[in-house]
Amino acid sequence: MLEQLDYVVVHRDKDADSGQYRPMRIFLTENCFTSRGMTVENIRTWLHKYRQWAVASGVAESMREKYERHQLKMARLGINIDNHHSLKNRLKQIKRWVVSPELRAEKLRVTSDLEAALDGHAQKLRQLRPESTNGRWRTAWLRYAAAGQLTPVMQMKLERNLKDEFPQLHVSDAEKYYRLLLERAGVPLK
């Protein structure tokens, strides 16, 4: 009944002893607390005070180790949730509900800063790369040469002859260079 009311999330898995699907773990949802008159701010305050107490009394590390041991024990018993992605996503959703809005705002600020920095780097990379928006003739030449229409010797001979006539054309205007190569190879241009 609690599961139907969305007060708990039940992880069911196959029991090794009985061979049946049974509830293995039960997680409380936010509705379990809010339906009993607790506000989100009260829950956040309680969790924050508990965290402060755990750090101040030196229990935080031992509790983290205890939780890790618990996770290992669950994995040994075959009750891990690694392959249950919808359950993991639901637990993350519950955790996000508890996290304070200030932390969410801080996370949004940091992610927007990172995205802006990445956009700046992408802009710099675009400036470093040469514009290859119209590589039509180069692509056509490479396809023609790769298709076996030319022998490698003939290809090198055409390229060498064109470079002898126009020494810097392949650097200054690459598209014109490849177009001339196609014309000299006898490819009909459209």
Side-chain angles (χ1 to χ4, degrees):
M1 189 170 91
L2 291 174
E3 188 176 11
Q4 290 175 349
L5 291 171
D6 196 31
Y7 289 172
V8 295
V9 176
V10 179
H11 169 228
R12 289 182 173 79
D13 210 348
K14 194 169 190 173
D15 186 21
D17 296 333
S18 66
Q20 297 176 349
Y21 278 93
R22 299 177 58 177
M24 296 294 185
R25 296 174 81 181
I26 298 173
F27 302 95
L28 299 176
T29 66
E30 66 274 11
N31 295 334
C32 180
F33 299 103
T34 56
S35 67
R36 286 160 175 74
M38 298 177 203
T39 64
V40 177
E41 289 305 317
N42 285 345
I43 295 169
R44 289 178 182 151
T45 305
W46 296 332
L47 287 173
H48 182 67
K49 286 182 180 177
Y50 175 74
R51 236 180 269 122
Q52 285 180 328
W53 169 82
V55 169
S57 62
V59 182
E61 278 299 316
S62 62
M63 291 177 69
R64 186 175 295 120
E65 291 169 4
K66 184 178 179 181
Y67 179 71
E68 288 173 2
R69 284 196 308 269
H70 171 72
Q71 291 290 349
L72 288 173
K73 180 182 175 186
M74 291 291 114
R76 269 196 307 274
L77 293 173
I79 310 175
N80 59 355
I81 61 170
D82 291 339
N83 295 329
H84 300 274
H85 301 292
S86 60
L87 175 62
K88 284 170 49 175
N89 288 335
R90 179 67 174 116
L91 294 176
K92 285 179 185 175
Q93 183 183 18
I94 293 169
K95 186 177 179 180
R96 280 193 302 269
W97 173 80
V98 175
V99 174
S100 68
E102 297 84 31
L103 288 176
R104 275 188 267 158
E106 177 71 15
K107 181 181 177 183
L108 283 174
R109 186 187 62 75
V110 168
T111 53
S112 65
D113 290 347
L114 285 173
E115 287 173 355
L118 288 174
D119 288 342
H121 287 298
Q123 194 68 286
K124 288 178 185 174
L125 282 175
R126 275 189 224 112
Q127 290 173 354
L128 291 175
R129 290 185 189 144
E131 285 295 319
S132 61
T133 56
N134 192 10
R136 173 181 163 195
W137 301 115
R138 179 180 183 275
T139 305
W141 170 252
L142 292 175
R143 283 186 182 163
Y144 181 74
Q149 302 291 331
L150 288 174
T151 62
V153 173
M154 190 67 180
Q155 178 185 351
M156 289 189 308
K157 186 178 179 182
L158 284 171
E159 289 175 356
R160 188 179 61 238
N161 289 342
L162 192 59
K163 283 181 183 176
D164 288 344
E165 281 184 49
F166 306 101
Q168 290 298 315
L169 185 62
H170 67 285
V171 176
S172 62
D173 189 2
E175 285 302 301
K176 185 176 179 183
Y177 170 77
Y178 288 111
R179 199 179 93 237
L180 286 172
L181 277 173
L182 286 168
E183 287 174 358
R184 290 190 180 189
V187 177
L189 304 177
K190 297 175 187 174

